[in-house]
Amino acid sequence: MLPAPCRPLLHRCSQQAAAVDTVGAASRRRRHRPLCVPSGPMRASAVAQQRRADAVGRMPPLAHRELMLELAGEAEAALGARLLPSEVPADVAEFRNAAGNALGSVDVRRGVPGSSVDFTLEAWFHRQLPGGGAIDISSLIFVLNGATDAPHFLMEFIQGGPTSLVILLDLLPRKDLPLHPEYITKYYEATGVDAHRRSIERLPQVRPYVSPLLLVRSLWSPTAVVVDVQCGEGREAALEEIVQGQLATSAKEVLGVWLEHSAAAVEMSDAERESMVARDKMISATELELNLSANLPRMFDADISARVVAEIRKAFLGH
Amino acid sequence: MLPAPCRPLLHRCSQQAAAVDTVGAASRRRRHRPLCVPSGPMRASAVAQQRRADAVGRMPPLAHRELMLELAGEAEAALGARLLPSEVPADVAEFRNAAGNALGSVDVRRGVPGSSVDFTLEAWFHRQLPGGGAIDISSLIFVLNGATDAPHFLMEFIQGGPTSLVILLDLLPRKDLPLHPEYITKYYEATGVDAHRRSIERLPQVRPYVSPLLLVRSLWSPTAVVVDVQCGEGREAALEEIVQGQLATSAKEVLGVWLEHSAAAVEMSDAERESMVARDKMISATELELNLSANLPRMFDADISARVVAEIRKAFLGH
């Protein structure tokens, strides 16, 4: 869920961060490789997955990216047999601008029929900016289907420089909360997720992040982490410390809560289920139109953006 | 909508603020008197209204109370014939603790049958604290009925000391916003209310206020002002300046937006109307149970709280 329009860069990126990374790529590829590599001829999906891992490995090393890779790997392992293999084409698993100033990778995996997972989406974008510096965005979105009313999982990091990071971390509610206090109790109170919001907001470098889009603001749960971390020029180490410390702790725990609840089927009437799924579609459409469709063209050539958005649309809206 | 539990006092109240006020009461009574005083024998409702004005006039003078009085008067004048006369009993229009350490006044007026107003609620509480200092709370809530889908109006100020104020100012949405982007456009985008949230949040003394209750957080619109103003010890003048300056400007404009939209009937299907009114009832119940029922006993003797809550329940829930 990108801020739209993308926030102006407040800090120039360090040369190290802006340069194409080769050091360390191998270790990240190892970590991000699926746990079971198919034996025999490599299938199309495994190829796509390897391309994505390679693309991410070629982006500059950033603490937020390391954390996201780790969490994506954990989730992939935990969801395991509930996910179908990736089927994104090669030019979505990795894409770059003709000018060589932007690199991206998107992976979508649908849930196995009968599971509660609708789809998972990972997106990784790196864009060097004309005046120096770069913007780096990593997103992880896990969307459930009508088998459960458990919230969707959303984690997104938008790094506008070495000391500046927008953090979006939430379990997106699937019901109109004022009408469903029991939903709040089950997924937000009993799970203790609000403690993580509090811990992150307590950090002195953290301010609220307010999306310019009112519709986007209306999607968040009452425990959402929606913040802007500004550590101040030269304080790269402070940002890394936050990412590797409090953010890593909180993000892992919130993901853990989601994983714990995401598999359980939930009894509801057909009418309730239909209305919930219709709401899901509205949220997905919002995410797609206001976030990705509006922002990808700011980072990538038009033909590339169009191709990637079309692929994501298939996952989000089923067409 | 009180923070629950009430926030601890951060600053001791000045003697002037804590003392029972007599100076200035007459002028406030004048301002708050209904525009048309019934000629002939004073009716029960007019007596109740006068008692309320007297009670508020006896509370210590505070900039936030002056502002609230002014806005309540403006709204009363604008709503005019759409409101029935007040019918609260004398011991709700004014009540005080046996120990003399707390003074309160509540007024409820129902809408005229056929109008779009369900009811209006004004509440004024002043409580001296054992260690010195005081807590002062003023609330104005205007609730609409099924004739329109326009938002409800809520304004509440919770002053915990001469330099400390929680501000809640919102047009409470009556629909599940992610499902109704057109509702956001009509009532929140086209009306420009978000500019007021921005202006207030930009003040250096302002921090977000986060209710400890997740259900309460879920009621706010995306443009709600939900903030904690802390001016720092000795800086009473700074708080007054904020209240009389930016807050007065913003509160008047948001009230103006509400007044402009509150009268227009809105076409909708019976099913839509029923579901909206059911949602309204949930919101009212939340407000009543989590806010007033939980907090009034912290300020007033048990029998007084029970009587006042019962009166408010009649307005909120119709029984």
Side-chain angles (χ1 to χ4, degrees):
Chain A
M1 193 164 292
L2 308 189
C6 284
R7 297 174 333 120
L9 276 190
L10 296 177
H11 303 279
R12 290 164 67 92
C13 213
S14 69
Q15 274 212 319
Q16 185 206 12
V20 167
D21 167 53
T22 49
V23 184
S27 68
R28 275 195 300 283
R29 267 199 301 277
R30 268 198 307 279
R31 184 184 301 171
H32 201 52
R33 187 175 287 167
L35 294 182
C36 304
V37 177
S39 59
M42 217 178 208
R43 290 177 306 161
S45 67
V47 171
Q49 238 166 338
Q50 189 60 52
R51 281 215 180 100
R52 168 177 57 91
D54 290 348
V56 175
R58 275 192 279 274
M59 294 179 188
L62 286 174
H64 97 232
R65 202 135 49 209
E66 288 293 328
L67 173 60
M68 185 77 91
L69 275 172
E70 188 181 340
L71 291 174
E74 275 180 24
E76 203 165 50
L79 292 172
R82 295 164 64 198
L83 295 180
L84 292 170
S86 168
E87 290 182 4
V88 294
D91 58 4
V92 170
E94 178 168 356
F95 47 93
R96 54 178 65 222
N97 275 352
N101 57 6
L103 181 61
S105 172
V106 164
D107 190 30
V108 176
R109 295 180 70 180
R110 302 211 64 92
V112 165
S115 85
S116 62
V117 177
D118 190 5
F119 66 90
T120 68
L121 170 74
E122 279 179 44
W124 312 83
F125 306 127
H126 166 68
R127 170 73 148 99
Q128 290 171 32
L129 296 171
I135 187 160
D136 289 273
I137 300 177
S138 312
S139 309
L140 205 54
I141 302 176
F142 300 150
V143 174
L144 298 171
N145 62 26
T148 176
D149 64 5
H152 308 308
F153 178 83
L154 180 142
M155 179 164 63
E156 186 159 313
F157 303 143
I158 301 133
Q159 185 148 5
T163 61
S164 150
L165 182 70
V166 168
I167 301 171
L168 312 175
L169 172 65
D170 197 21
L171 302 179
L172 295 177
R174 300 174 71 194
K175 297 206 172 181
D176 182 20
L177 297 183
L179 270 178
H180 296 281
E182 79 294 347
Y183 191 88
I184 296 180
T185 305
K186 178 175 180 181
Y187 293 118
Y188 300 96
E189 270 167 11
T191 56
V193 285
D194 200 41
H196 298 291
R197 181 199 57 75
R198 277 200 302 276
S199 299
I200 290 175
E201 289 184 359
R202 206 177 285 137
L203 297 170
Q205 300 91 340
V206 160
R207 296 285 170 272
Y209 171 75
V210 182
S211 167
L213 299 169
L214 304 187
L215 185 54
V216 168
R217 292 183 212 163
S218 78
L219 302 182
W220 304 122
S221 83
T223 65
V225 176
V226 185
V227 298
D228 187 2
V229 189
Q230 294 288 349
C231 294
E233 205 160 335
R235 311 231 340 123
E236 289 85 348
L239 183 60
E240 281 199 14
E241 197 180 310
I242 289 171
V243 171
Q244 289 162 350
Q246 185 61 56
L247 179 58
T249 304
S250 292
K252 280 174 199 173
E253 298 231 7
V254 174
L255 176 62
V257 166
W258 182 82
L259 285 168
E260 189 187 326
H261 284 91
S262 65
V266 170
E267 289 291 321
M268 61 190 113
S269 72
D270 287 350
E272 278 176 309
R273 200 178 311 275
E274 270 169 38
S275 126
M276 188 185 68
V277 170
R279 194 177 189 280
D280 288 346
K281 290 286 173 205
M282 284 294 290
I283 294 174
S284 294
T286 299
E287 173 70 14
L288 184 71
E289 299 308 330
L290 296 184
N291 182 2
L292 293 158
S293 301
N295 283 294
L296 268 181
R298 298 172 195 267
M299 304 183 77
F300 292 94
D301 301 339
D303 57 331
I304 296 175
S305 308
R307 191 171 69 225
V308 173
V309 168
E311 192 66 29
I312 297 174
R313 172 170 287 129
K314 276 203 288 189
F316 272 39
L317 305 178
H319 56 79
Chain B
M1 194 164 291
L2 310 188
C6 285
R7 295 171 338 117
L9 276 191
L10 297 175
H11 303 280
R12 292 165 65 92
C13 214
S14 69
Q15 273 212 318
Q16 186 207 11
V20 167
D21 168 51
T22 49
V23 184
S27 67
R28 275 197 300 283
R29 266 200 303 277
R30 268 198 305 281
R31 185 183 299 172
H32 201 51
R33 186 175 288 166
L35 294 183
C36 305
V37 176
S39 60
M42 219 178 204
R43 291 176 306 165
S45 67
V47 172
Q49 238 166 336
Q50 189 58 52
R51 281 215 180 99
R52 168 178 57 92
D54 290 348
V56 175
R58 276 192 278 274
M59 294 178 187
L62 285 174
H64 96 233
R65 203 137 44 209
E66 288 293 327
L67 173 60
M68 185 77 92
L69 274 173
E70 188 182 339
L71 292 175
E74 275 180 25
E76 205 165 49
L79 292 171
R82 295 163 65 197
L83 294 181
L84 291 171
S86 167
E87 291 181 5
V88 295
D91 58 3
V92 170
E94 177 167 356
F95 46 93
R96 56 177 65 222
N97 276 352
N101 57 4
L103 182 61
S105 172
V106 165
D107 190 29
V108 176
R109 294 180 69 180
R110 303 210 63 92
V112 164
S115 85
S116 62
V117 177
D118 191 3
F119 65 90
T120 68
L121 170 74
E122 280 179 43
W124 312 83
F125 306 127
H126 166 67
R127 171 72 149 99
Q128 291 172 31
L129 297 171
I135 187 161
D136 289 273
I137 301 178
S138 312
S139 309
L140 205 53
I141 302 177
F142 300 150
V143 174
L144 298 171
N145 62 28
T148 175
D149 64 4
H152 308 308
F153 178 82
L154 180 142
M155 179 164 64
E156 186 159 315
F157 303 142
I158 301 132
Q159 185 147 4
T163 61
S164 150
L165 183 70
V166 168
I167 301 170
L168 312 175
L169 172 65
D170 197 22
L171 302 179
L172 295 177
R174 300 175 69 193
K175 297 205 172 183
D176 183 21
L177 297 182
L179 269 178
H180 296 280
E182 79 294 347
Y183 191 88
I184 297 180
T185 305
K186 178 175 179 182
Y187 292 119
Y188 300 97
E189 270 166 11
T191 57
V193 285
D194 200 40
H196 298 291
R197 182 199 56 75
R198 276 200 303 275
S199 299
I200 290 176
E201 290 183 359
R202 206 178 284 137
L203 298 170
Q205 300 91 340
V206 161
R207 296 285 171 271
Y209 170 75
V210 182
S211 167
L213 299 169
L214 304 187
L215 185 54
V216 168
R217 291 183 212 163
S218 79
L219 302 182
W220 304 122
S221 83
T223 66
V225 176
V226 185
V227 299
D228 187 1
V229 188
Q230 294 289 348
C231 293
E233 206 160 334
R235 308 226 348 117
E236 288 86 349
L239 183 59
E240 281 199 13
E241 196 180 312
I242 289 171
V243 171
Q244 291 162 350
Q246 186 61 56
L247 179 57
T249 304
S250 292
K252 280 175 199 174
E253 299 231 7
V254 174
L255 176 61
V257 166
W258 182 82
L259 285 168
E260 189 186 326
H261 284 90
S262 65
V266 169
E267 289 291 319
M268 62 190 112
S269 73
D270 288 349
E272 278 175 309
R273 200 178 310 275
E274 270 168 37
S275 124
M276 188 184 70
V277 171
R279 193 178 190 280
D280 288 345
K281 290 285 173 206
M282 284 295 289
I283 294 173
S284 294
T286 300
E287 173 68 15
L288 184 71
E289 300 307 331
L290 296 185
N291 182 3
L292 292 159
S293 301
N295 283 293
L296 269 181
R298 297 172 196 269
M299 303 183 78
F300 292 94
D301 300 340
D303 56 331
I304 297 175
S305 308
R307 191 172 68 225
V308 173
V309 167
E311 192 66 28
I312 297 174
R313 174 172 285 126
K314 277 203 288 188
F316 272 40
L317 306 177
H319 57 78

